[in-house]
Structures are given as C-alpha cells and as structure tokens.
Amino acid sequence: MNNELAKILGFNFSASDYALAAKTLLSRSEKKGIDDNIKRLEAIAERCRGIEERIPDKNITDQVFNRFRLSYKIPQKLSFSSRELRMLIYSMYRMNTLPMMKSFVYLLDHNWRDRFFNGLLYFMLSNWDDTDAEIMELVMNLVQSRLDSYQGRRDKYLILKKNRRFLSQEGPELLGITLSQRDKGQRIACSLRTAPSVFFGLSRDKINMQYYSRVIVAYFEKDGLSRLKLMEDVLNEHNYGPTAKRLIPAIILNKSKSATPSQMEAIKTLAITEIGDPSIASKWTLSVGTEEEKENLKEARRLLNEWIKRKFISIFFEKCVRDPRRKKYWIEHVDLISDFDIFCTRRTRSVLMQDERISKLVSQKVSLLNDGSDNELSALGMTIGNYYFVEFSESGSGSIYIYRGKVKNPSYFYQLKRPHLPTIQSFMIDKDEGKLPHLSDWEKTLNQWFRNHGLL
C-alpha cells in the first residue's frame, strides 16, 4: 500500500541515499573554511570576554596606589580618572584598614562605572579569607547596591544581578548547598566546576580562588564520603590549603559513627594526603577561618593520630611479630603514646609498604637499621611522657626496654638495646630506666611502673 501511494505521489525516499547526499553536500575545502571561521569567531569572543578581566600592569598600578595611600584621608578632594580607579580596584588587597577602604568605596560610588564590577568581583573571589570581615562588608554593600540599581543589558552583569545573593557573608555556603542539591544522587556530575561562568558570568571556569573554599565545604560536607574520588579531584583543582583543613575534619567528626570502616579508612588516607602526617603539628594549623573550624581541625588531628597509632601497633604485632598479647596491651593503652617509630631492615620495610592502610606513612614513620645480616628484625619505639619504650620483634620472652628520653638517631639494632640496664620487676618499679621481661603478669608490673611514675 505504501509503495502504491509513493508511486501516485511521485515521492521516492531512500534513507541511505539521503544520508550519503548529506555527507557530500559540502566539499572538503568548504568544510575547512567553515571550521576556520568558527575558530576565528570563538577566538574573537574569548578576547572580548577577557578584556574586562585582564589585570592591569603592576608597576603602573603601584604608582596609582601610592598616590591614593598618601591622600586617602580626604576622599572628597581626591581626583582619579575611571581608568585609574579601575587600576586601584586591583590594589584593594593592600587596603587593609577600614578608613582606607571606606575612602576608596566612597570614590568608586561617586565615580561609578559598570566595568568596575569586574575588578570588584575579582577582589571578592580572590581575597575572601584574607580580608577583614568589616572591610569585605563595605565592598559587598557597594556591589549589592550597584547590582540592585543596574539597568543595563550586558549578560555578565545581568547574571551577577540575578545571583547577587551569593555575594554576601553567607553566600559561599548558600552556593555550595545550591550546587549540592543540583547534583543530588550523582557521583560523577559536579556543577562546582561550572559555577564561575553560570553564577558569576566569568569567561573561565576556575575554582582556585579563596571564595570557593567554603563553597566546596558546603557542597561535600553532607555526602562527601560517597564521592571521595570526586572530592579529591576537586581539592586538587582548587589547590587552596585551608579548604582541606575545613572539609576533611568536618567529615571525620560528623560522619565517624555512620560511615563504614572502608569509608573512614579512605577519608583518613585522604587527610594524610591533603593535610599531612598529624604527628607534625605545624601541618595541622589553620591561619584563617572561624574558631569552630580551628577546633574541628585540632580534634580531627587527635582522632587521626590515635587511628594511625592503632594501625601501626596492630600491623607491627601482626606482621613483624605475631604476639596478640602485646598487641592487646598497647592497643588498650594507645592514648598514653604521644609518638612512635618503627625500626626495621629493608626486607621488613618492603612488607610494610605493601599494606595500603599505612603505605603513605611508612616513609615518615619507618627507619631502616642495620644488624649485619638480612634478618627480618624490627622494633617499635613509643614516646610516653618523658620516656621512650622499645618493643622488639623477638619471639619468646624478650623484654620491653625503657629509657629516660628518646633514643636519638640509631643506626644499628644493638643501639636500641643498651647493655647493663637493670631489670624492672613488681618489687623494683622505682627505676627510671630498665628492661621489663615479658614474663607471667608483666602487664600488671608495667601498669604499676606507669602509676609510680605518674603516667597512668
């Protein structure tokens, strides 16, 4: 029937012929010409977008800023061209007093040009953490006021006007929550990466500015554990140290009870990668941020330190010497240990490196010692108060060696076993240094020694 209709209407159609005709519609040279023109138009559009965001030359900017710095106290008498004011906008990070910023905001407001939005946005996004809250409030009020009254038709400024609520004190958190809701249920999608262009009309989608720090925290804080790989990628793209120190502690503290063991292992490993070994206090400090964020970082460091100590102690008494009794004792008293070291031969070190739970810290916590042979010897050193305890991987009885102060930079195992040390027993616990054999109720004897020395 269909064929009869086609004959009557004189309509003949072949899908394969139609597709072939479409492919040969344009010659190769015509296609190349169209492609070249598209690239030229894209380059022109990119240049046009970039002009307003280009930062002025610093040498010229410095000259204008020095003029302003010497005369800012009477803003009504200041005279700067719009070009000079635009240059000064890119020196706002140097206006670190409230009177100076008040004077400059007055100048901008009374000599307003819409193109000032570009530099002001750059200042806010780049210096969100470094700028005093009162000073930033002045800038935000000016931007909000001028966006409210903007009647132009530039797409970029209309985008800013539409999203001006994100340029407020609570703006980063609000944007992070908004983006998180957009991506709800998605493990790969991340609207964070397009936020600069979508919400601020910028020509380049880069999230490496300070403003995005709390955006990222608000975005991942609720469900970061289910998107750890994405979170790690975003932190690398963002590349701003304080963000990891805000986000990772918040997840550790808020999700430690509900997270699976594998998730907690992963977030703790990420903490070591992004922040560093928690035994190094200088790595776990936050120069910017709220008191709550600083307290979170401090508490997360304590928890992570305890986790690392438990892992290393467990692995030492599982892989270096199978002694569940000693392992049980030291795990139960891990809170006494402020720091630890593992000493071993090269062969034992390679075994420890294969354990993913501690592999990232082996280079920092494990030292190679020489015993004149290739035996798989190892020792665990623990700092408790002003004392240093050494457990060896020897099977059989062996002893705990207790020293007043840490054994510094040993090169051989015998240096960890000083000769002629007195033996500590239940009726001789007043000794500051000595060796305590693993005999009968050695745990009770050691607890007595701890109490006698004010450590338990």
Side-chain angles (χ1 to χ4, degrees), residues 150-409:
Y150 179 69
Q151 298 297 321
R153 302 178 64 181
R154 289 288 304 275
D155 287 344
K156 176 175 181 177
Y157 304 149
L158 290 173
I159 291 173
L160 276 180
K161 183 171 183 173
K162 177 183 176 183
N163 296 296
R164 61 187 181 277
R165 68 188 182 281
F166 299 122
L167 297 175
S168 61
Q169 289 288 7
E170 65 281 0
E173 289 84 358
L174 180 59
L175 179 56
I177 293 169
T178 300
L179 296 173
S180 180
Q181 290 171 345
R182 280 189 174 192
D183 296 345
K184 193 171 183 178
Q186 299 292 327
R187 296 201 173 196
I188 300 174
C190 184
S191 53
L192 269 169
R193 292 185 170 112
T194 57
S197 58
V198 172
F199 289 88
F200 300 131
L202 296 176
S203 60
R204 295 173 181 85
D205 282 316
K206 288 188 177 181
I207 54 172
N208 58 351
M209 294 180 173
Q210 291 181 11
Y211 171 89
Y212 297 105
S213 179
R214 287 197 172 90
V215 177
I216 292 168
V217 173
Y219 181 88
F220 283 111
E221 195 171 6
K222 299 286 187 190
D223 67 345
L225 282 176
S226 64
R227 300 200 283 174
L228 282 171
K229 181 61 173 69
L230 178 61
M231 186 167 73
E232 185 176 4
D233 292 342
V234 168
L235 286 173
N236 288 336
E237 290 173 33
H238 178 56
N239 196 30
Y240 177 53
T243 305
K245 295 177 181 181
R246 286 169 169 152
L247 174 58
I248 294 175
I251 292 177
I252 290 175
L253 297 179
N254 295 335
K255 302 293 183 180
S256 58
K257 293 181 180 178
S258 59
T260 64
S262 62
Q263 285 178 327
M264 287 311 296
E265 292 277 351
I267 191 66
K268 288 167 183 173
T269 301
L270 183 61
I272 294 166
T273 301
E274 293 292 334
I275 303 175
D277 180 355
S279 68
I280 304 174
S282 60
K283 290 182 179 290
W284 286 73
T285 57
L286 188 60
S287 58
V288 297
T290 65
E291 287 305 312
E292 181 182 2
E293 289 170 338
K294 293 175 183 178
E295 282 300 314
N296 284 348
L297 183 64
K298 182 178 178 181
E299 178 63 12
R301 175 181 174 241
R302 185 190 70 78
L303 292 174
L304 189 58
N305 247 331
E306 185 172 305
W307 172 79
I308 290 171
K309 288 183 288 187
R310 287 178 182 274
K311 288 297 173 190
F312 269 93
I313 289 170
S314 296
I315 290 168
F316 178 82
F317 288 110
E318 289 167 8
K319 294 195 173 184
C320 299
V321 53
R322 290 183 176 86
D323 193 330
R325 186 173 170 182
R326 281 195 276 170
K327 172 186 171 182
K328 180 177 182 294
Y329 180 85
W330 288 115
I331 289 294
E332 289 175 350
H333 294 79
V334 71
D335 57 318
L336 297 177
I337 304 168
S338 59
D339 198 9
F340 70 93
D341 309 282
I342 288 181
F343 306 97
C344 63
T345 57
R346 195 174 300 278
R347 182 183 296 181
T348 305
R349 184 179 184 275
S350 66
V351 172
L352 295 174
M353 282 291 292
Q354 293 170 17
D355 195 305
E356 293 182 357
R357 294 174 292 175
I358 61 170
S359 59
K360 288 184 179 294
L361 284 171
V362 166
S363 61
Q364 300 170 49
K365 289 296 184 184
V366 177
S367 301
L368 292 177
L369 294 188
N370 197 336
D371 75 326
S373 67
D374 197 26
N375 295 328
E376 294 183 7
L377 294 178
S378 55
L380 171 66
M382 297 167 283
T383 301
I384 300 177
N386 296 320
Y387 298 89
Y388 197 62
F389 293 69
V390 183
E391 285 272 25
F392 292 90
S393 61
E394 300 167 322
S395 57
S397 60
S399 298
I400 304 168
Y401 283 69
I402 303 173
Y403 300 108
R404 178 82 179 181
K406 187 171 184 178
V407 179
K408 295 183 179 178
N409 304 318

